Protein backbone atom coordinates (compact mmCIF):
# COMPACT_ATOMS: atom_id res chain seq x y z
CA UNK A 1 0.00 0.00 0.00
CA UNK A 2 2.88 2.34 0.85
CA UNK A 3 4.55 1.61 -2.50
CA UNK A 4 1.28 2.30 -4.36
CA UNK A 5 0.75 5.58 -2.49
CA UNK A 6 4.32 6.68 -3.19
CA UNK A 7 3.95 6.03 -6.92
CA UNK A 8 0.69 7.97 -6.97
CA UNK A 9 2.27 10.96 -5.25
CA UNK A 10 5.16 10.93 -7.73
CA UNK A 11 2.78 10.87 -10.65
CA UNK A 12 0.75 13.72 -9.21
CA UNK A 13 3.93 15.71 -8.61
CA UNK A 14 5.10 15.12 -12.14
CA UNK A 15 1.71 16.13 -13.53
CA UNK A 16 1.73 19.23 -11.39
CA UNK A 17 5.19 20.09 -12.60
CA UNK A 18 4.18 19.68 -16.19
CA UNK A 19 1.08 21.78 -15.60
CA UNK A 20 3.06 24.50 -13.92
CA UNK A 21 5.58 24.48 -16.79
CA UNK A 22 2.86 24.76 -19.41
CA UNK A 23 1.19 27.50 -17.42
CA UNK A 24 4.46 29.38 -17.18
CA UNK A 25 5.00 29.12 -20.92
CA UNK A 26 1.50 30.34 -21.60
CA UNK A 27 1.84 33.25 -19.17
CA UNK A 28 5.23 34.28 -20.75
CA UNK A 29 3.87 33.97 -24.23
CA UNK A 30 0.62 35.81 -23.61
CA UNK A 31 1.62 38.46 -21.08
CA UNK A 32 5.33 38.81 -20.36
CA UNK A 33 6.80 38.51 -23.87
CA UNK A 34 4.49 41.13 -25.47
CA UNK A 35 5.29 43.50 -22.63
CA UNK A 36 9.00 43.07 -23.18
CA UNK A 37 8.60 43.60 -26.90
CA UNK A 38 6.64 46.84 -26.49
CA UNK A 39 9.19 48.39 -24.11
CA UNK A 40 11.35 51.13 -25.83
CA UNK A 41 15.02 51.31 -24.91
CA UNK A 42 16.56 54.79 -25.32
CA UNK A 43 20.32 55.07 -25.68
CA UNK A 44 22.08 58.38 -25.01
CA UNK A 45 25.51 59.67 -25.91
CA UNK A 46 27.21 62.87 -24.97
CA UNK A 47 28.10 65.59 -27.43
CA UNK A 48 29.17 69.21 -27.13
CA UNK A 49 27.78 72.44 -28.45
CA UNK A 50 30.08 73.57 -31.28
CA UNK A 51 30.70 76.79 -33.20
CA UNK A 52 31.17 76.98 -36.97
CA UNK A 53 29.45 77.00 -40.36
CA UNK A 54 26.45 74.88 -41.28
CA UNK A 55 25.89 73.82 -44.87
CA UNK A 56 22.77 72.33 -46.43
CA UNK A 57 23.14 70.60 -49.76
CA UNK A 58 22.26 67.89 -52.24
CA UNK A 59 24.36 64.76 -52.23
CA UNK A 60 24.74 62.51 -55.25
CA UNK A 61 27.15 59.72 -56.14
CA UNK A 62 29.09 59.08 -59.31
CA UNK A 63 32.21 57.57 -60.80
CA UNK A 64 35.41 59.32 -61.75
CA UNK A 65 36.09 59.73 -65.46
CA UNK A 66 39.53 60.55 -66.77
CA UNK A 67 39.85 62.44 -70.08
CA UNK A 68 42.81 61.02 -71.90
CA UNK A 69 45.47 62.96 -73.78
CA UNK A 70 47.76 61.36 -76.31
CA UNK A 71 51.23 61.41 -77.72
CA UNK A 72 50.52 61.04 -81.43
CA UNK A 73 52.64 60.08 -84.40
CA UNK A 74 50.99 62.19 -87.10
CA UNK A 75 53.52 62.09 -89.95
CA UNK A 76 51.86 60.79 -93.11
CA UNK A 77 54.89 59.07 -94.61
CA UNK A 78 53.48 56.98 -97.45
CA UNK A 79 55.20 55.26 -100.37
CA UNK A 80 54.10 53.88 -103.71
CA UNK A 81 53.99 50.10 -103.64
CA UNK A 82 56.69 48.56 -105.82
CA UNK A 83 57.25 44.87 -106.43
CA UNK A 84 60.58 43.63 -105.14
CA UNK A 85 61.99 40.37 -106.50
CA UNK A 86 64.72 40.08 -103.90
CA UNK A 87 63.46 39.43 -100.36
CA UNK A 88 66.66 40.85 -98.89
CA UNK A 89 66.28 44.06 -100.90
CA UNK A 90 62.64 44.30 -99.86
CA UNK A 91 63.62 43.97 -96.19
CA UNK A 92 66.31 46.63 -96.55
CA UNK A 93 63.81 48.90 -98.25
CA UNK A 94 61.32 48.35 -95.42
CA UNK A 95 63.99 49.17 -92.83
CA UNK A 96 64.72 52.50 -94.52
CA UNK A 97 61.10 53.54 -94.93
CA UNK A 98 59.79 53.70 -91.37
CA UNK A 99 61.00 54.72 -87.93
CA UNK A 100 61.88 51.81 -85.67
CA UNK A 101 61.51 52.06 -81.88
CA UNK A 102 64.72 51.11 -80.10
CA UNK A 103 63.75 51.90 -76.49
CA UNK A 104 60.53 52.51 -74.56
CA UNK A 105 61.46 54.54 -71.48
CA UNK A 106 58.13 54.43 -69.60
CA UNK A 107 55.61 51.84 -68.44
CA UNK A 108 51.86 51.85 -68.04
CA UNK A 109 50.76 53.33 -64.68
CA UNK A 110 53.84 55.52 -64.43
CA UNK A 111 53.36 59.21 -63.69
CA UNK A 112 55.40 61.16 -66.22
CA UNK A 113 56.59 64.75 -66.04
CA UNK A 114 57.11 67.28 -68.81
CA UNK A 115 60.37 66.58 -70.64
CA UNK A 116 60.55 62.90 -69.67
CA UNK A 117 61.90 60.56 -72.37
CA UNK A 118 59.19 58.33 -73.81
CA UNK A 119 60.46 56.58 -76.96
CA UNK A 120 63.85 56.35 -78.64
CA UNK A 121 64.38 55.44 -82.32
CA UNK A 122 67.23 53.58 -83.99
CA UNK A 123 69.65 55.88 -85.79
CA UNK A 124 69.54 53.62 -88.86
CA UNK A 125 65.77 54.07 -89.27
CA UNK A 126 66.07 57.83 -88.70
CA UNK A 127 68.73 58.11 -91.41
CA UNK A 128 66.71 55.94 -93.81
CA UNK A 129 63.49 57.91 -93.44
CA UNK A 130 65.41 61.19 -93.70
CA UNK A 131 66.99 60.07 -97.01
CA UNK A 132 63.60 59.11 -98.42
CA UNK A 133 62.06 62.42 -97.41
CA UNK A 134 65.00 64.38 -98.81
CA UNK A 135 64.66 62.42 -102.07
CA UNK A 136 60.97 63.32 -102.15
CA UNK A 137 61.89 67.00 -101.80
CA UNK A 138 64.42 66.71 -104.65
CA UNK A 139 61.93 64.92 -106.91
CA UNK A 140 59.25 67.51 -106.15
CA UNK A 141 61.72 70.29 -106.99
CA UNK A 142 62.47 68.66 -110.38
CA UNK A 143 58.75 68.16 -111.09
CA UNK A 144 58.13 71.84 -110.33
CA UNK A 145 60.90 72.93 -112.71
CA UNK A 146 59.45 70.74 -115.47
CA UNK A 147 55.95 72.07 -114.85
CA UNK A 148 57.15 75.68 -115.01
CA UNK A 149 59.10 74.98 -118.21
CA UNK A 150 56.10 73.34 -119.83
CA UNK A 151 53.95 76.28 -118.74
CA UNK A 152 56.24 78.78 -120.43
CA UNK A 153 56.46 76.75 -123.67
CA UNK A 154 52.84 75.69 -123.98
CA UNK A 155 51.50 79.06 -122.90
CA UNK A 156 53.41 80.76 -125.71
CA UNK A 157 52.05 78.30 -128.30
CA UNK A 158 48.52 78.66 -126.97
CA UNK A 159 48.84 82.46 -127.08
CA UNK A 160 49.96 82.37 -130.73
CA UNK A 161 47.04 80.09 -131.70
CA UNK A 162 44.64 82.33 -129.86
CA UNK A 163 45.93 85.49 -131.55
CA UNK A 164 45.62 83.84 -134.97
CA UNK A 165 42.03 82.84 -134.27
CA UNK A 166 41.22 86.31 -133.02
CA UNK A 167 42.75 87.81 -136.19
CA UNK A 168 40.65 85.48 -138.36
CA UNK A 169 37.61 86.49 -136.42
CA UNK A 170 38.40 90.17 -137.05
CA UNK A 171 38.96 89.51 -140.76
CA UNK A 172 35.61 87.75 -140.98
CA UNK A 173 33.97 90.77 -139.42
CA UNK A 174 35.55 93.16 -141.90
CA UNK A 175 34.78 90.86 -144.84
CA UNK A 176 31.20 90.55 -143.74
CA UNK A 177 30.83 94.30 -143.34
CA UNK A 178 32.46 95.02 -146.75
CA UNK A 179 30.31 92.48 -148.62
CA UNK A 180 27.13 93.69 -147.00
CA UNK A 181 28.02 97.32 -147.72
CA UNK A 182 28.77 96.52 -151.37
CA UNK A 183 25.43 94.78 -151.89
CA UNK A 184 23.59 97.54 -150.09
CA UNK A 185 25.39 100.13 -152.20
CA UNK A 186 24.38 98.36 -155.43
CA UNK A 187 20.77 98.35 -154.38
CA UNK A 188 21.02 101.99 -153.30
CA UNK A 189 22.44 102.97 -156.73
CA UNK A 190 19.59 101.16 -158.50
CA UNK A 191 17.08 103.01 -156.37
CA UNK A 192 18.86 106.27 -157.14
CA UNK A 193 18.75 105.55 -160.92
CA UNK A 194 15.06 104.75 -160.64
CA UNK A 195 14.48 108.08 -158.91
CA UNK A 196 16.30 109.89 -161.71
CA UNK A 197 14.42 107.99 -164.43
CA UNK A 198 11.12 108.58 -162.70
CA UNK A 199 11.92 112.27 -162.38
CA UNK A 200 12.58 112.44 -166.14
CA UNK A 201 9.33 110.63 -166.86
CA UNK A 202 7.45 113.01 -164.61
CA UNK A 203 9.09 115.97 -166.36
CA UNK A 204 8.29 114.62 -169.80
CA UNK A 205 4.71 113.84 -168.84
CA UNK A 206 4.34 117.38 -167.61
CA UNK A 207 5.67 118.71 -170.92
CA UNK A 208 3.41 116.42 -172.96
CA UNK A 209 0.40 117.58 -171.02
CA UNK A 210 1.39 121.25 -170.83
CA UNK A 211 -1.42 123.46 -172.19
CA UNK A 212 0.93 125.95 -173.84
CA UNK A 213 2.77 123.15 -175.56
CA UNK A 214 -0.49 121.54 -176.71
CA UNK A 215 -1.75 124.91 -177.93
CA UNK A 216 1.51 125.59 -179.75
CA UNK A 217 1.35 122.10 -181.28
CA UNK A 218 -2.22 122.78 -182.45
CA UNK A 219 -1.28 126.19 -183.84
CA UNK A 220 1.75 124.84 -185.71
CA UNK A 221 -0.30 122.01 -187.09
CA UNK A 222 -2.97 124.45 -188.21
CA UNK A 223 -0.35 126.73 -189.81
CA UNK A 224 1.21 123.78 -191.57
CA UNK A 225 -2.14 122.48 -192.90
CA UNK A 226 -3.20 125.98 -193.95
CA UNK A 227 0.13 126.57 -195.73
CA UNK A 228 -0.28 123.16 -197.42
CA UNK A 229 -3.78 124.04 -198.64
CA UNK A 230 -2.57 127.43 -199.82
CA UNK A 231 0.31 125.79 -201.69
CA UNK A 232 -1.99 123.29 -203.25
CA UNK A 233 -4.30 126.08 -204.40
CA UNK A 234 -1.50 128.13 -205.87
CA UNK A 235 -1.25 128.12 -209.67
CA UNK A 236 2.00 126.64 -210.75
CA UNK A 237 2.23 129.09 -213.56
CA UNK A 238 2.61 131.83 -211.05
CA UNK A 239 6.14 131.09 -210.08
CA UNK A 240 6.64 133.88 -207.59
CA UNK A 241 3.43 133.10 -205.71
CA UNK A 242 4.12 129.38 -205.79
CA UNK A 243 7.68 129.86 -204.48
CA UNK A 244 6.44 132.16 -201.74
CA UNK A 245 3.72 129.73 -200.69
CA UNK A 246 6.07 126.81 -200.91
CA UNK A 247 8.58 128.54 -198.59
CA UNK A 248 5.79 129.35 -196.15
CA UNK A 249 4.67 125.73 -196.19
CA UNK A 250 8.20 124.48 -195.64
CA UNK A 251 8.65 126.89 -192.76
CA UNK A 252 5.37 125.85 -191.14
CA UNK A 253 6.12 122.17 -191.77
CA UNK A 254 9.58 122.52 -190.32
CA UNK A 255 8.27 124.25 -187.17
CA UNK A 256 5.53 121.64 -186.75
CA UNK A 257 7.86 118.69 -187.30
CA UNK A 258 10.39 120.14 -184.91
CA UNK A 259 7.79 120.36 -182.12
CA UNK A 260 6.32 117.01 -183.06
CA UNK A 261 9.78 115.40 -182.94
CA UNK A 262 10.40 116.96 -179.59
CA UNK A 263 7.11 115.61 -178.22
CA UNK A 264 7.86 112.23 -179.67
CA UNK A 265 11.25 112.24 -178.04
CA UNK A 266 9.45 112.80 -174.75
CA UNK A 267 7.18 109.83 -175.42
CA UNK A 268 10.12 107.69 -176.46
CA UNK A 269 12.05 108.78 -173.38
CA UNK A 270 9.12 107.90 -171.13
CA UNK A 271 8.91 104.49 -172.71
CA UNK A 272 12.62 103.90 -172.43
CA UNK A 273 12.78 105.13 -168.83
CA UNK A 274 9.76 103.02 -167.90
CA UNK A 275 11.43 99.96 -169.34
CA UNK A 276 14.68 100.82 -167.59
CA UNK A 277 12.81 101.27 -164.30
CA UNK A 278 11.29 97.84 -164.78
CA UNK A 279 14.73 96.45 -165.47
CA UNK A 280 16.10 98.16 -162.40
CA UNK A 281 13.29 96.78 -160.25
CA UNK A 282 14.15 93.29 -161.42
CA UNK A 283 17.78 93.98 -160.67
CA UNK A 284 16.78 95.23 -157.22
CA UNK A 285 14.76 92.07 -156.57
CA UNK A 286 17.67 89.96 -157.71
CA UNK A 287 20.08 92.04 -155.64
CA UNK A 288 17.87 91.78 -152.57
CA UNK A 289 17.60 88.02 -153.04
CA UNK A 290 21.34 87.83 -153.51
CA UNK A 291 21.73 90.08 -150.51
CA UNK A 292 19.68 87.73 -148.31
CA UNK A 293 21.56 84.69 -149.54
CA UNK A 294 24.90 86.43 -149.32
CA UNK A 295 24.04 87.77 -145.88
CA UNK A 296 23.10 84.29 -144.70
CA UNK A 297 26.28 82.82 -146.14
CA UNK A 298 28.46 85.62 -144.83
CA UNK A 299 26.70 85.43 -141.47
CA UNK A 300 27.46 81.72 -141.26
CA UNK A 301 31.07 82.33 -142.16
CA UNK A 302 31.23 85.19 -139.70
CA UNK A 303 29.56 83.22 -136.89
CA UNK A 304 31.86 80.32 -137.56
CA UNK A 305 34.88 82.59 -137.39
CA UNK A 306 33.59 84.29 -134.23
CA UNK A 307 32.82 80.93 -132.66
CA UNK A 308 36.26 79.73 -133.58
CA UNK A 309 37.71 82.86 -132.01
CA UNK A 310 35.60 82.38 -128.88
CA UNK A 311 36.49 78.70 -128.76
CA UNK A 312 40.10 79.64 -129.18
CA UNK A 313 39.74 81.94 -126.18
CA UNK A 314 38.20 79.14 -124.13
CA UNK A 315 40.90 76.73 -125.23
CA UNK A 316 43.55 79.29 -124.43
CA UNK A 317 42.07 79.96 -120.98
CA UNK A 318 41.66 76.23 -120.29
CA UNK A 319 45.21 75.54 -121.45
CA UNK A 320 46.61 78.28 -119.24
CA UNK A 321 44.52 77.09 -116.29
CA UNK A 322 45.57 73.49 -116.84
CA UNK A 323 49.21 74.49 -117.05
CA UNK A 324 48.84 76.71 -113.99
CA UNK A 325 47.14 73.87 -112.10
CA UNK A 326 50.10 71.65 -112.91
CA UNK A 327 52.49 74.30 -111.61
CA UNK A 328 50.37 74.89 -108.50
CA UNK A 329 50.16 71.15 -107.86
CA UNK A 330 53.92 70.80 -108.23
CA UNK A 331 54.46 73.77 -105.91
CA UNK A 332 52.10 72.28 -103.33
CA UNK A 333 53.80 68.89 -103.61
CA UNK A 334 57.16 70.54 -103.00
CA UNK A 335 55.78 72.54 -100.07
CA UNK A 336 54.22 69.39 -98.58
CA UNK A 337 57.47 67.45 -99.01
CA UNK A 338 59.45 70.23 -97.33
CA UNK A 339 56.90 70.52 -94.53
CA UNK A 340 56.91 66.75 -93.98
CA UNK A 341 60.70 66.75 -93.80
CA UNK A 342 60.63 69.66 -91.32
CA UNK A 343 57.94 67.93 -89.22
CA UNK A 344 60.01 64.73 -89.24
CA UNK A 345 63.11 66.57 -88.03
CA UNK A 346 61.06 68.25 -85.29
CA UNK A 347 59.53 64.90 -84.33
CA UNK A 348 62.77 62.92 -83.97
CA UNK A 349 64.66 65.89 -82.53
CA UNK A 350 68.43 66.07 -82.26
CA UNK A 351 68.82 62.83 -80.30
CA UNK A 352 66.06 60.69 -81.80
CA UNK A 353 64.07 60.65 -78.54
CA UNK A 354 60.39 61.58 -78.13
CA UNK A 355 59.81 63.52 -74.91
CA UNK A 356 56.68 64.38 -72.99
CA UNK A 357 55.23 67.85 -73.53
CA UNK A 358 53.08 67.55 -70.39
CA UNK A 359 52.65 65.65 -67.15
CA UNK A 360 50.16 62.96 -66.25
CA UNK A 361 49.46 59.32 -65.49
CA UNK A 362 50.27 56.93 -68.34
CA UNK A 363 47.24 54.74 -69.08
CA UNK A 364 48.31 52.94 -72.24
CA UNK A 365 51.43 52.37 -74.36
CA UNK A 366 50.74 51.22 -77.92
CA UNK A 367 54.27 50.38 -79.04
CA UNK A 368 57.20 48.37 -77.76
CA UNK A 369 60.85 48.11 -78.72
CA UNK A 370 61.28 46.75 -82.23
CA UNK A 371 57.97 48.12 -83.58
CA UNK A 372 57.94 50.34 -86.68
CA UNK A 373 55.78 53.41 -87.14
CA UNK A 374 54.16 52.41 -90.43
CA UNK A 375 51.05 54.55 -89.97
CA UNK A 376 49.97 57.65 -88.10
CA UNK A 377 48.29 57.04 -84.76
CA UNK A 378 48.46 57.20 -80.97
CA UNK A 379 51.72 56.09 -79.42
CA UNK A 380 50.92 56.69 -75.76
CA UNK A 381 47.84 57.76 -73.77
CA UNK A 382 47.82 59.57 -70.43
CA UNK A 383 45.56 61.61 -68.20
CA UNK A 384 46.58 65.00 -66.88
CA UNK A 385 45.93 66.31 -63.42
CA UNK A 386 43.17 68.60 -64.63
CA UNK A 387 41.43 65.95 -66.76
CA UNK A 388 39.46 64.40 -63.88
CA UNK A 389 35.66 64.74 -63.94
CA UNK A 390 32.58 63.10 -62.48
CA UNK A 391 29.15 62.87 -64.10
CA UNK A 392 26.14 62.36 -61.85
CA UNK A 393 22.37 62.25 -62.32
CA UNK A 394 20.41 64.98 -60.48
CA UNK A 395 16.65 64.69 -60.01
CA UNK A 396 14.26 67.24 -61.46
CA UNK A 397 13.43 68.42 -57.90
CA UNK A 398 17.06 69.43 -57.28
CA UNK A 399 18.30 70.47 -60.73
CA UNK A 400 16.96 74.03 -60.31
CA UNK A 401 19.47 74.58 -57.46
CA UNK A 402 22.49 73.80 -59.69
CA UNK A 403 24.21 76.05 -62.21
CA UNK A 404 27.43 75.92 -64.22
CA UNK A 405 30.26 77.36 -62.14
CA UNK A 406 28.88 76.23 -58.76
CA UNK A 407 31.43 74.91 -56.28
CA UNK A 408 30.89 71.44 -54.77
CA UNK A 409 32.67 69.22 -52.25
CA UNK A 410 33.79 65.75 -53.24
CA UNK A 411 34.49 62.76 -50.99
CA UNK A 412 36.16 59.72 -52.52
CA UNK A 413 35.14 56.33 -51.17
CA UNK A 414 38.78 55.31 -51.36
CA UNK A 415 39.80 58.29 -49.16
CA UNK A 416 36.97 58.73 -46.60
CA UNK A 417 38.79 61.35 -44.51
CA UNK A 418 39.69 63.69 -47.36
CA UNK A 419 37.74 66.20 -49.43
CA UNK A 420 38.26 67.72 -52.87
CA UNK A 421 36.66 70.76 -54.38
CA UNK A 422 34.93 70.62 -57.70
CA UNK A 423 33.24 72.97 -60.17
CA UNK A 424 30.08 72.31 -62.18
CA UNK A 425 31.33 72.39 -65.78
CA UNK A 426 28.17 71.29 -67.61
CA UNK A 427 24.46 70.80 -66.96
CA UNK A 428 22.60 68.76 -69.56
CA UNK A 429 19.15 70.24 -70.21
CA UNK A 430 17.73 67.02 -71.67
CA UNK A 431 16.61 64.33 -69.26
CA UNK A 432 18.35 60.96 -69.57
CA UNK A 433 15.37 59.00 -68.22
CA UNK A 434 12.57 59.82 -70.66
CA UNK A 435 10.83 56.47 -70.16
CA UNK A 436 11.47 56.20 -66.41
CA UNK A 437 9.30 57.27 -63.50
CA UNK A 438 12.22 59.34 -62.17
CA UNK A 439 13.47 62.21 -64.32
CA UNK A 440 17.20 62.91 -63.96
CA UNK A 441 19.59 65.34 -65.61
CA UNK A 442 23.31 64.59 -66.12
CA UNK A 443 25.62 67.09 -64.39
CA UNK A 444 29.39 67.09 -64.99
CA UNK A 445 31.79 68.06 -62.19
CA UNK A 446 35.41 69.05 -62.82
CA UNK A 447 37.64 67.95 -59.96
CA UNK A 448 40.00 70.69 -58.77
CA UNK A 449 43.29 70.47 -56.91
CA UNK A 450 45.73 67.58 -56.66
CA UNK A 451 44.23 64.55 -58.43
CA UNK A 452 47.41 62.47 -58.54
CA UNK A 453 45.89 59.78 -56.28
CA UNK A 454 42.54 59.65 -58.07
CA UNK A 455 42.00 56.92 -60.67
CA UNK A 456 39.33 56.39 -63.27
CA UNK A 457 36.27 54.51 -62.02
CA UNK A 458 36.63 55.53 -58.35
CA UNK A 459 33.31 56.16 -56.57
CA UNK A 460 32.70 59.64 -55.18
CA UNK A 461 30.01 61.50 -53.22
CA UNK A 462 29.34 65.02 -54.41
CA UNK A 463 27.63 67.63 -52.23
CA UNK A 464 25.99 70.68 -53.79
CA UNK A 465 25.57 73.56 -51.32
CA UNK A 466 22.01 74.92 -51.47
CA UNK A 467 21.98 76.98 -48.22
CA UNK A 468 24.37 77.82 -45.39
CA UNK A 469 24.99 79.92 -42.28
CA UNK A 470 28.32 81.06 -40.94
CA UNK A 471 29.82 81.24 -37.44
CA UNK A 472 26.86 79.88 -35.44
CA UNK A 473 26.38 77.56 -32.43
CA UNK A 474 25.02 74.16 -33.36
CA UNK A 475 24.34 70.69 -31.94
CA UNK A 476 23.62 67.30 -33.38
CA UNK A 477 20.04 67.34 -34.70
CA UNK A 478 19.34 64.18 -32.65
CA UNK A 479 19.78 66.18 -29.43
CA UNK A 480 16.82 68.47 -30.09
CA UNK A 481 13.56 67.39 -28.40
CA UNK A 482 10.32 68.85 -29.77
CA UNK A 483 7.37 69.40 -27.46
CA UNK A 484 3.71 69.04 -28.34
CA UNK A 485 3.34 72.82 -28.05
CA UNK A 486 6.11 73.42 -30.62
CA UNK A 487 8.77 74.22 -28.09
CA UNK A 488 12.31 72.84 -28.44
CA UNK A 489 14.63 71.59 -25.68
CA UNK A 490 17.78 69.60 -25.21
CA UNK A 491 18.99 67.36 -22.37
CA UNK A 492 21.96 68.88 -20.57
CA UNK A 493 24.07 67.65 -17.63
CA UNK A 494 23.43 69.58 -14.43
CA UNK A 495 25.86 70.07 -11.54
CA UNK A 496 24.98 66.69 -10.02
CA UNK A 497 25.59 64.94 -13.34
CA UNK A 498 21.92 64.27 -14.04
CA UNK A 499 20.13 64.93 -17.36
CA UNK A 500 17.67 67.81 -17.32
CA UNK A 501 15.67 69.43 -20.13
CA UNK A 502 16.95 72.85 -21.14
CA UNK A 503 14.66 75.00 -23.34
CA UNK A 504 16.43 76.36 -26.44
CA UNK A 505 15.62 78.45 -29.51
CA UNK A 506 16.69 76.73 -32.78
CA UNK A 507 17.42 78.16 -36.19
CA UNK A 508 18.90 76.75 -39.42
CA UNK A 509 19.13 72.95 -39.78
CA UNK A 510 20.67 70.85 -42.51
CA UNK A 511 19.14 67.65 -41.20
CA UNK A 512 22.33 66.58 -39.41
CA UNK A 513 23.11 69.65 -37.29
CA UNK A 514 20.77 72.29 -35.90
CA UNK A 515 21.62 75.92 -35.11
CA UNK A 516 21.09 77.08 -31.49
CA UNK A 517 20.06 80.71 -31.23
CA UNK A 518 19.43 80.87 -27.45
CA UNK A 519 19.79 78.61 -24.43
CA UNK A 520 23.26 77.10 -24.81
CA UNK A 521 26.91 78.10 -24.92
CA UNK A 522 29.81 76.68 -26.88
CA UNK A 523 31.26 73.64 -25.12
CA UNK A 524 28.10 72.72 -23.18
CA UNK A 525 27.45 68.99 -22.95
CA UNK A 526 24.14 67.79 -24.36
CA UNK A 527 22.61 64.35 -24.89
Amino acid sequence: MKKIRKKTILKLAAAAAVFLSLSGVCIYTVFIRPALMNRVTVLYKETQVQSGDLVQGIMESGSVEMEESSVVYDLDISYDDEDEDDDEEEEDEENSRYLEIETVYVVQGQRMEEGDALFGFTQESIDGVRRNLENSVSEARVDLAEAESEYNTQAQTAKSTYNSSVAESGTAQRSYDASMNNLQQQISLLYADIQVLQAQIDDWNEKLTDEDTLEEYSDLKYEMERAKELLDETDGSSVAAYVANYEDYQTALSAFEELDDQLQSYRDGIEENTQEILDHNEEILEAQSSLEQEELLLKQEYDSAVQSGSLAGDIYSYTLQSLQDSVDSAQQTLADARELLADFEAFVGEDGVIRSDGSGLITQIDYEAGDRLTAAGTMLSYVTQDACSITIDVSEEDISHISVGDTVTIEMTAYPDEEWEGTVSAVTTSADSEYSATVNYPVTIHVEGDTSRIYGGMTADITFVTDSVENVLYVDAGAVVSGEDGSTSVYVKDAEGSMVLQPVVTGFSNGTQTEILEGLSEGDTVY
Side-chain angles (χ1 to χ4, degrees), residues 453-466:
R453 294 183 298 123
I454 299 178
Y455 299 95
M458 282 186 172
T459 304
D461 293 327
I462 293 90
T463 301
F464 297 87
V465 177
T466 59

Side-chain angles (χ1 to χ4, degrees), residues 64-104:
V64 175
E65 300 172 356
M66 310 298 287
E67 182 180 352
E68 288 189 336
S69 300
S70 301
V71 175
V72 178
Y73 174 68
D74 57 359
L75 301 181
D76 184 15
I77 301 177
S78 57
Y79 302 96
D80 295 332
D81 293 332
E82 297 179 357
D83 296 332
E84 296 287 348
D85 297 331
D86 193 321
D87 292 340
E88 184 177 352
E89 290 182 3
E90 184 176 358
E91 184 176 355
D92 293 340
E93 181 70 17
E94 184 72 15
N95 291 338
S96 66
R97 285 184 170 191
Y98 304 105
L99 290 173
E100 181 181 352
I101 296 176
E102 183 176 34
T103 307
V104 179

Side-chain angles (χ1 to χ4, degrees), residues 238-460:
S238 179
V239 177
Y242 184 83
V243 171
N245 289 336
Y246 179 78
E247 290 179 354
D248 292 337
Y249 169 70
Q250 289 297 325
T251 301
L253 177 61
S254 176
F256 172 73
E257 286 180 348
E258 181 180 358
L259 180 58
D260 186 61
D261 290 341
Q262 186 177 6
L263 294 179
Q264 186 61 41
S265 68
Y266 292 158
R267 286 188 287 269
D268 292 341
I270 290 173
E271 183 177 356
E272 291 175 359
N273 283 9
T274 300
Q275 183 61 44
E276 193 170 353
I277 288 174
L278 292 177
D279 293 340
H280 282 356
N281 284 329
E282 290 182 1
E283 291 176 8
I284 289 173
L285 291 177
E286 291 178 359
Q288 287 177 338
S289 177
S290 298
L291 177 64
E292 293 176 358
Q293 295 177 0
E294 189 71 14
E295 182 180 14
L296 181 60
L297 179 61
L298 292 173
K299 189 70 167 60
Q300 290 176 349
E301 294 177 354
Y302 168 74
D303 290 342
S304 177
V306 170
Q307 186 175 6
S308 297
S310 176
L311 182 61
D314 294 339
I315 294 175
Y316 175 64
S317 299
Y318 173 78
T319 301
L320 285 185
Q321 186 61 52
S322 178
L323 293 170
Q324 186 62 52
D325 289 344
S326 298
V327 172
D328 292 343
S329 177
Q331 288 176 338
Q332 186 61 49
T333 299
L334 177 58
D336 292 343
R338 286 172 171 168
E339 182 179 3
L340 185 57
L341 178 58
D343 291 343
F344 169 77
E345 297 294 354
F347 182 74
V348 297
E350 296 180 356
D351 55 0
V353 175
I354 302 301
R355 300 184 182 277
S356 171
D357 58 358
S359 61
L361 180 66
I362 298 174
T363 57
Q364 183 173 341
I365 299 175
D366 295 281
Y367 289 89
E368 59 185 23
D371 289 345
R372 291 191 178 91
L373 303 183
T374 59
T378 300
M379 299 182 66
L380 178 148
S381 300
Y382 65 96
V383 291
T384 60
Q385 185 172 340
D386 61 350
C388 181
S389 65
I390 304 169
T391 299
I392 60 174
D393 290 332
V394 179
S395 66
E396 61 180 329
E397 292 82 5
D398 297 330
I399 194 65
S400 61
H401 299 290
I402 300 173
S403 301
V404 173
D406 288 352
T407 301
V408 302
T409 57
I410 303 171
E411 293 183 4
M412 298 291 173
T413 304
Y415 309 108
D417 298 327
E418 299 183 49
E419 283 189 356
W420 279 263
E421 283 192 357
T423 304
V424 177
S425 59
V427 177
T428 303
T429 57
S430 300
D432 66 352
S433 50
E434 182 178 354
Y435 302 104
S436 173
T438 303
V439 178
N440 295 318
Y441 296 88
V443 176
T444 302
I445 312 298
H446 181 75
V447 183
E448 308 288 351
D450 183 11
T451 60
S452 60
R453 294 183 298 123
I454 299 178
Y455 299 95
M458 282 186 172
T459 304

Side-chain angles (χ1 to χ4, degrees), residues 46 93 98 113 150 198 216 229 249 278 391 435 454 477 501 510 526:
E46 292 184 2
E93 181 70 17
Y98 304 105
E113 300 297 334
E150 184 175 5
Q198 186 63 49
E216 181 183 2
E229 291 177 357
Y249 169 70
L278 292 177
T391 299
Y435 302 104
I454 299 178
L501 275 177
N510 60 10
V526 298

Side-chain angles (χ1 to χ4, degrees), residues 212-224 256 259:
D212 293 337
T213 301
L214 293 177
E215 184 177 355
E216 181 183 2
Y217 178 82
S218 179
D219 291 342
L220 291 175
K221 184 178 180 182
Y222 173 75
E223 289 294 336
M224 179 201 66
F256 172 73
L259 180 58

